[in-house]
Amino acid sequence: MTGAGCGVTPLLLVFEGDQITAGEGIVFPGLPYPTQVANALIGESVSIDWHNVAISGTNLAQMITRASGLVDVFYHPEVTTVPQVVTIFGGTNDL
């Protein structure tokens, strides 16, 4: 998914997390937070390429292992270049 900025190399953002990041059960405001962040950046005319690679049910140890893989060997087929920003939101499944 990309935003504005014709001819500009987009900022690559990757969102890692659990079911909250994945968007399960979202009622209000209706969009998972990665989509809200992307929409806000696009609204500010920032050129972005973003991917939500969150997997429902994962714990922090699993997320950190996968996120560290984003730097060297990409585990997710949508991610083809080194991301400039990786967010990790989790902890729900660690309780």
Side-chain angles (χ1 to χ4, degrees):
M1 296 175 212
T2 58
C6 189
V8 175
T9 301
L11 176 67
L12 177 57
L13 295 97
V14 175
F15 296 89
E16 173 63 274
D18 56 19
Q19 61 273 12
I20 295 170
T21 304
E24 286 190 23
I26 300 294
V27 176
F28 181 82
L31 298 172
Y33 86 87
T35 305
Q36 294 180 44
V37 170
N39 288 344
L41 290 170
I42 292 167
E44 293 294 322
S45 298
V46 176
S47 178
I48 63 168
D49 184 8
W50 66 281
H51 304 273
N52 185 348
V53 298
I55 299 173
S56 180
T58 57
N59 62 34
L60 284 171
Q62 293 166 322
M63 287 178 228
I64 291 168
T65 298
R66 285 197 313 262
S68 65
L70 288 171
V71 176
D72 298 318
V73 179
F74 302 110
Y75 71 94
H76 197 279
E78 289 184 37
V79 180
T80 58
T81 60
V82 177
Q84 287 85 16
V85 178
V86 176
T87 69
I88 300 174
F89 181 88
T92 304
N93 298 308
D94 291 290
L95 301 177

